[in-house]
């Protein structure tokens, strides 16, 4: 996979995607969004890839937002189209059956914070800074920030961040549940890769069905969501991974999952 604004490396079942526009703090323009979407279509189809890590190039920024220079002259219809493209990318990330980890190496602002919110897990470097500063530009978040931020950290905290445009550091992001963990910058990728490796060693069908249960279940009322969970739990028993996982426990040995 070769792209203009993304670097993609595949290592032991993990795809590491680096948003690579360091001169613009890895800001998301149309081309980068289209490339991200294409990359996720490929990751979803590629059986070798089991976990995806998204990070930014350099040490200053994960993604400092959507590209302000590219957005400034847009008409209303063009801006709506641009927002829709961003939404489409986040949907591809969320709907990807494989877990997606954001490794946040600096500023995650506006569309960058929204990209991190589209991922399943957020690992923050100590220098990570989060914010939805769109109000400073006379606009609102447009890649799902008003929705996903409120769903993740609650309505009150999301409103505060979005109305004030304030930036918060990694410690505050961890405290309010926006970051899953904080690590020194030089350990960010290793920690994210280790987390990916831990996940890869589990039954892949179980991990994928768990993502599906959590993601789709959250949109349902509890009664239906639990019914949905029971259906997916039942489906696990159609896999050899379930037979092997439970047999290995009973035989007091490590399970050898084949992903079947
Ligand atoms: C385009 C950007 C950019 C962005 C930074 N740059 N963020 N270019 N879009 N979002 C560029 C700068 O113009 C500058 O280019 C270079 O990157 C370095 O940035 P500096 O500002 O000089 O760096 P620094 O002083 O360290 O400040 C870093 C920063 C600041 C705090 C991240 O750059 C900043 O506030 N950026 C904007 C953050 C933001 O408002 N994001 C939300 C965007 S709206 P030059 O050429 O001068 O070197 C959004 C909406 C999403 O995301 C939904 C859309 C539908």
């Amino acid at each position: 996979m070769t792209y203009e604004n993304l670097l993609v490396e595949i290592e032991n079942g993990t795809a590491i995607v680096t948003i690579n526009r360091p001169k613009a703090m890895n800001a998301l323009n149309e081309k980068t969004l289209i490339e991200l979407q294409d990359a996720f279509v490929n990751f979803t189809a590629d059986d070798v890839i089991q976990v995806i890590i998204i990070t930014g190039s350099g040490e200053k920024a994960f993604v400092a937002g959507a590209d302000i220079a590219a957005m400034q002259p847009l008409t209303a219809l063009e801006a709506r189209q641009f927002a829709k493209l961003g939404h489409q990318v986040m949907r591809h990330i969320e709907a990807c059956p494989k877990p997606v980890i954001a490794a946040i190496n600096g500023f995650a602002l506006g569309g960058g914070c929204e990209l991190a919110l589209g991922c399943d897990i957020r690992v923050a470097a100590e220098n990570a800074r989060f914010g939805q500063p769109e109000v400073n530009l006379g606009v609102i978040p447009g890649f799902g920030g008003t929705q996903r931020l409120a769903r993740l950290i609650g309505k009150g905290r999301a409103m505060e961040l979005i109305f004030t445009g304030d930036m918060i550091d990694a410690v505050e992001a961890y405290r309010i549940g926006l970051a899953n963990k904080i690590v020194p910058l030089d350990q960010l990728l290793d920690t994210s890769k280790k987390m990916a490796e831990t996940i890869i060693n589990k039954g892949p069908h179980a991990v994928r069905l768990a993502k599906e249960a959590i993601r789709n279940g959250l949109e349902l009322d509890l009664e239906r969501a639990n019914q949905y969970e029971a259906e997916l739990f039942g489906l696990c028993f159609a896999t050899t991974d379930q037979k092997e996982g439970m047999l290995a426990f009973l035989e007091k040995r490590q399970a050898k999952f084949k992903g079947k």
Side-chain angles (χ1 to χ4, degrees):
M1 279 175 254
T2 311
Y3 296 108
E4 192 178 303
N5 297 329
L6 302 181
L7 302 172
V8 178
E9 293 163 82
I10 317 282
E11 249 179 58
N12 308 321
T14 300
I16 301 146
V17 189
T18 306
I19 318 266
N20 189 31
R21 298 188 70 218
K23 285 186 187 145
M25 297 247 168
N26 304 319
L28 300 172
N29 59 5
E30 189 184 358
K31 175 99 188 166
T32 312
L33 289 169
I34 290 170
E35 290 185 347
L36 259 176
Q37 182 168 300
D38 183 77
F40 270 85
V41 169
N42 288 324
F43 298 153
T44 299
D46 187 339
D47 286 342
V48 169
I49 295 166
Q50 300 200 47
V51 175
I52 297 111
I53 296 172
I54 304 181
T55 193
S57 72
E59 299 199 337
K60 283 190 79 174
F62 171 69
V63 167
D67 190 316
I68 300 169
M71 282 188 295
Q72 197 277 337
L74 295 184
T75 65
L77 288 179
E78 287 166 344
R80 183 173 71 167
Q81 202 47 43
F82 184 59
K84 284 189 172 177
L85 173 62
H87 281 291
Q88 228 169 275
V89 173
M90 305 312 157
R91 261 203 307 278
H92 271 86
I93 295 172
E94 282 182 335
C96 177
K98 303 154 191 194
V100 184
I101 300 169
I104 301 158
N105 55 316
F107 293 110
L109 303 175
C113 189
E114 292 169 303
L115 176 62
L117 287 166
C119 297
D120 301 319
I121 296 168
R122 283 152 293 281
V123 180
E126 284 166 348
N127 72 333
R129 298 285 178 276
F130 297 80
Q132 296 288 162
E134 285 88 347
V135 287
N136 296 326
L137 303 166
V139 296
I140 66 168
F143 292 163
T146 58
Q147 304 310 307
R148 289 194 185 89
L149 190 62
R151 281 167 171 75
L152 185 67
I153 66 171
K155 180 176 147 192
R157 287 196 167 113
M159 286 198 170
E160 183 183 342
L161 277 176
I162 291 171
F163 296 170
T164 62
D166 281 349
M167 248 190 255
I168 57 170
D169 63 14
V171 173
E172 178 66 358
Y174 177 73
R175 193 184 71 81
I176 64 177
L178 180 49
N180 291 65
K181 60 167 72 186
I182 309 172
V183 294
L185 179 60
D186 62 3
Q187 289 166 31
L188 178 68
L189 264 192
D190 275 353
T191 305
S192 305
K193 285 182 195 173
K194 272 192 199 116
M195 190 186 274
E197 199 182 308
T198 301
I199 295 169
I200 287 171
N201 286 330
K202 310 298 172 193
H205 283 299
V207 170
R208 287 170 200 187
L209 289 170
K211 176 166 174 174
E212 205 176 316
I214 295 168
R215 189 172 89 85
N216 294 331
L218 274 174
E219 307 306 319
L220 303 173
D221 63 71
L222 188 58
E223 185 65 27
R224 281 165 208 250
N226 280 332
Q227 274 175 25
Y228 182 56
E229 183 193 74
E231 298 301 332
L232 295 186
F233 181 79
L235 199 54
C236 294
F237 287 71
T239 68
T240 56
D241 284 355
Q242 174 271 325
K243 304 288 175 250
E244 165 63 10
M246 292 192 177
L247 190 64
F249 175 83
L250 296 173
E251 291 176 354
K252 301 188 189 303
R253 61 172 173 82
Q254 280 284 315
K256 290 194 195 86
F257 293 116
K258 296 206 172 84
K260 289 188 177 149

